[in-house]
Every structure is written in C-alpha cells, then in structure tokens.
Amino acid sequence: MSVLDVAVDDAASVVAGLVVVGGGFVPALAFKLAGMRMPALPTTAQQLQENIDPYNGRDVATRTELASGWMTALYAATGTICGACLIALARRPDLPEALTAIALTLLLLLHGRGMVHVWQRLTLVVPGAWGAFLMIVGAAGSLGASDRPAFVAGLLALAAVLAILSWTVPGRRMLPYWGRAAEILHSLLAVALLPLTLWTLGLFGYLRSIMG
C-alpha cells in the first residue's frame, strides 16, 4: 500500500495470493527446517547400495515431531495473514473482492480437511470460518429491511443442514468420488485466485480501456 499506492483490498488480494502460493511449500519447508533430508533417487544399479544405512529411530522421531511443530507454526502464520486479508476483502466489497474472498474462504476450508493434526487443521479451518462469517455479516448489512427475514430463514436452514451433517458424517465411510471432487475444487480455487486477484487490481479493465 505504501510503495505502490494501492487500496487496502487490492493489497489484501495480492498478499493473500502470495501466501496461498507459499502455503503449498509448507510441508517441504518444515521438512527442511527440522533438519531432515530426502535422499536422491537411484539411477543406476550401483547407487542402490548407497545410503542404505538405517537412521537412528529416536532421532527420526524427534525430527518428525519438530517438523510437525514447524508445519503448525507455518500454517498458523498462513491462516492469520489470510484472516487479516479477508477483513479487508469483505469490507464493502465489489464483485471481484467478494469472489476473491469466497474463493479464499473455500480454499482454506478445503485445505484444512486434509490435515491430520488437529492444531494444523484448526489453523486453516478457523480463518476459513472467519471468512464465511465476514461474508455473511457483510451480506446482511447490504440487505434492506424487507429482505432480512428471508436471509435469516436461509441462515437457519443452513445451520440445520450443518448440524445434521455434523451428526451423520463423522465416522461414516465416504465414497471415493466425494474426496476426488473436493480435490478438484481445491485445485480450481487455487488456480482461480490469480485471475481474481488481477481482476481486483483492475488489470482487466485497464487492458480493455487500452484496446478500446
């Protein structure tokens, strides 16, 4: 904002996009910060006999725990920054800001579902829920008095659906295509964040004005 003289929502979209890209490297970065190293794949028969000495089990367990701590910290930083960016994006948003906030919210929620460690999951799910809360509050504030009863009824219906899902889904074996669909949506949202960010910055409108 200070260097390029851009608005707060434009800066938030750029920062969120960069953080999401960096979030994809969190596991590898945590692995390296814990002092662990993946040996290179062998390419010849002779190399199959190299680096085959077993590692110390206690050292591996300690470094694995350290890598898990680094992942939790890095994901917490990612979630905190994205949560702050969502505040700026959900503040009186235009269409591109609203779509960027929705994509970022869904991306955080979908990424959190793949976390096994409870704290790592919370560092992503909580900012995602925070983004959904901000969008709902922003939508409610923009409605007229006559539209608010229908909006409240919709929220109650959504709460009922979520409550039913929380009772029925945990512990239930899901069909494989649901997980695959979530992975595809996750990838699409991550890819869509770049054009949405450019749209928020007004690049498309600028190019259209140049080309007439």
Side-chain angles (χ1 to χ4, degrees), residues 3 6 21 25 30 36 44 59 63 75 79 86 100 113 146 148 154 156 158 164-165 169 187 189 192:
V3 176
V6 296
V21 172
F25 298 96
M36 304 177 74
T44 63
D59 182 62
R63 292 185 182 277
Y75 277 131
L86 284 168
T100 303
R113 60 176 280 277
S146 60
R148 289 174 184 172
L156 291 175
L158 177 61
I164 294 172
L165 291 176
V169 172
S187 301
L189 289 171

Side-chain angles (χ1 to χ4, degrees), residues 90-108:
R91 177 176 169 270
R92 295 192 296 273
D94 293 330
L95 181 59
E97 287 85 355
L99 292 178
T100 303
I102 292 172
L104 182 58
T105 297
L106 293 176
L107 191 61
L108 289 170

Side-chain angles (χ1 to χ4, degrees), residues 187-205:
S187 301
L188 291 176
L189 289 171
V191 173
L193 209 57
L194 175 59
L196 287 174
T197 299
L198 297 178
W199 188 13
T200 302
L201 293 173
L203 180 62
F204 297 144

Side-chain angles (χ1 to χ4, degrees), residues 35-185:
M36 304 177 74
R37 184 178 61 87
M38 185 69 68
L41 292 175
T43 57
T44 63
Q46 291 77 13
Q47 291 177 352
L48 289 172
Q49 303 302 318
E50 299 176 359
N51 300 320
I52 59 175
D53 296 330
Y55 292 97
N56 183 277
R58 182 175 299 178
D59 182 62
V60 171
T62 301
R63 292 185 182 277
T64 300
E65 190 67 25
L66 183 59
S68 178
W70 274 112
M71 282 188 64
T72 303
L74 292 171
Y75 277 131
T78 300
T80 302
I81 295 173
C82 288
C85 292
L86 284 168
I87 296 176
L89 290 171
R91 177 176 169 270
R92 295 192 296 273
D94 293 330
L95 181 59
E97 287 85 355
L99 292 178
T100 303
I102 292 172
L104 182 58
T105 297
L106 293 176
L107 191 61
L108 289 170
L109 293 174
L110 288 173
H111 198 58
R113 60 176 280 277
M115 299 292 106
V116 177
H117 196 284
V118 61
W119 289 109
Q120 294 172 8
R121 180 174 295 181
L122 286 176
T123 57
L124 297 175
V125 172
V126 170
W130 168 248
F133 171 77
L134 291 174
M135 296 302 296
I136 291 173
V137 171
S142 63
L143 293 176
S146 60
D147 298 326
R148 289 174 184 172
F151 185 75
V152 172
L155 290 180
L156 291 175
L158 177 61
V161 171
L162 292 177
I164 294 172
L165 291 176
S166 68
W167 296 332
T168 58
V169 172
R172 186 176 181 180
R173 297 178 64 182
M174 303 296 292
L175 295 175
Y177 56 76
W178 288 113
R180 183 57 180 165
E183 293 174 359
I184 294 174
L185 180 60

Side-chain angles (χ1 to χ4, degrees), residues 199 202-212:
W199 188 13
L203 180 62
F204 297 144
Y206 174 73
L207 293 177
R208 186 172 58 183
S209 64
I210 292 178
M211 296 178 181

